[in-house]
Amino acid sequence: MICPKCAHAQPDGTEVCLRCGVIFAKVRVDHSASEPPPIHEGTIEEKPGDMDTLQLAGRLVIWAILLVWGGKFIFMPISGEDFSRSYMHLVNLPFHEAGHVIFAPLGRFIQVLGGTLGQWLMPAVVTASFLRRKDHFAATVGVWWLGQSFMDIAPYMDDARAGQLMLLGGVTGSEVEDYHDWEIILTRLGLLQYDHVIARISFFCGTLFMIGGLAWGAGILYRQIQSRRRPI
């Protein structure tokens, strides 16, 4: 036995230290009970059993809306202005235009490409932020948004040669020279003749992100529902 005060070794069962005279019963402290568990600031770690009924129902509604809405986008034609008329296009557009401004110091080519990068980076940053907070369901919505953003830019890519889409300034790419982002990008890269292929690759990537986000969200909701059914 070791004295907690002077660290002097002595026979087991001793109640008073043979060196310093301290009474062991008065100095024994349960440190594990007195120390609170560590708190990690800025994180919200979800446990399946912590989800209340109203919050779970709200998440189910959100997931169902994203499923139906996502299906509409997946079967929407790449060519034409269907995507530009959607509500999500209005969500993506400010980040697209902000990307042009943010990347402007890096030169003309990166400035033009920055519109698309800004449109993709924002949902990616949102997803990463929710993952850092361990709010995994919210992160799945971010992945869905990233997928939709990849789809949203596909018609712009597809229109690089034709220049028929109505752009933000109220003109088409064929009406104003050096104005259509993806005509400029693909011309600089020598890939203008592959505009349709590149558009379909972007659309396919968006579809994968969107389906992946929905599947991930479904898995989270399934585990939360099962945890509520489990008897205590």
Side-chain angles (χ1 to χ4, degrees):
M1 181 175 180
I2 305 297
C3 174
K5 182 176 181 181
C6 66
H8 177 67
Q10 46 214 304
D12 291 338
T14 306
E15 297 182 359
V16 180
C17 178
L18 300 179
R19 172 182 286 181
C20 66
V22 69
I23 301 173
F24 298 142
K26 292 184 178 182
V27 297
R28 286 179 184 144
V29 178
D30 186 357
H31 295 285
S32 62
S34 62
E35 296 179 1
I39 299 175
H40 302 284
E41 296 183 0
T43 62
I44 304 174
E45 186 169 1
E46 294 183 6
K47 297 179 181 179
D50 293 341
M51 184 67 54
D52 61 56
T53 302
L54 185 60
Q55 189 176 4
L56 180 57
R59 288 187 168 189
L60 286 168
V61 170
I62 291 172
W63 186 87
I65 291 173
L66 294 181
L67 176 65
V68 175
W69 205 6
K72 180 181 178 181
F73 285 123
I74 288 172
F75 292 104
M76 194 174 286
I78 294 177
S79 59
E81 298 187 359
D82 291 338
F83 273 93
S84 62
R85 296 191 186 101
S86 71
Y87 173 78
M88 285 303 299
H89 183 71
L90 298 178
V91 174
N92 294 323
L93 188 58
F95 302 114
H96 183 102
E97 296 305 317
H100 288 311
V101 177
I102 293 169
F103 290 97
L106 300 179
R108 171 63 173 163
F109 178 77
I110 300 299
Q111 178 188 18
V112 174
L113 182 61
T116 298
L117 294 179
Q119 182 172 331
W120 289 347
L121 282 174
M122 192 60 202
V125 168
V126 168
T127 301
S129 176
F130 282 123
L131 285 175
R132 185 175 180 275
R133 295 178 58 196
K134 300 190 184 301
D135 189 345
H136 293 158
F137 182 80
T140 70
V141 178
V143 174
W144 183 96
W145 180 16
L146 179 60
Q148 198 284 328
S149 191
F150 267 85
M151 293 177 177
D152 184 73
I153 205 67
Y156 203 7
M157 297 171 170
D158 192 68
D159 185 61
R161 277 181 293 176
Q164 297 302 307
L165 282 180
M166 188 62 65
L167 305 179
L168 187 60
V171 296
T172 65
S174 60
E175 293 173 335
V176 180
E177 187 178 356
D178 199 37
Y179 190 71
H180 192 297
D181 287 2
W182 278 93
E183 179 189 8
I184 298 169
I185 294 167
L186 296 181
T187 299
R188 288 280 192 95
L189 296 174
L191 299 173
L192 187 59
Q193 67 271 30
Y194 300 112
D195 56 350
H196 299 325
V197 174
I198 293 170
R200 278 152 182 76
I201 291 173
S202 179
F203 192 89
F204 178 71
C205 291
T207 302
L208 290 182
F209 277 124
M210 186 173 283
I211 293 175
L214 289 169
W216 186 14
I220 292 172
L221 292 174
Y222 175 78
R223 290 192 297 272
Q224 290 171 346
I225 292 171
Q226 290 299 110
S227 69
R228 294 184 64 81
R229 292 177 177 175
R230 191 178 302 126
I232 300 176

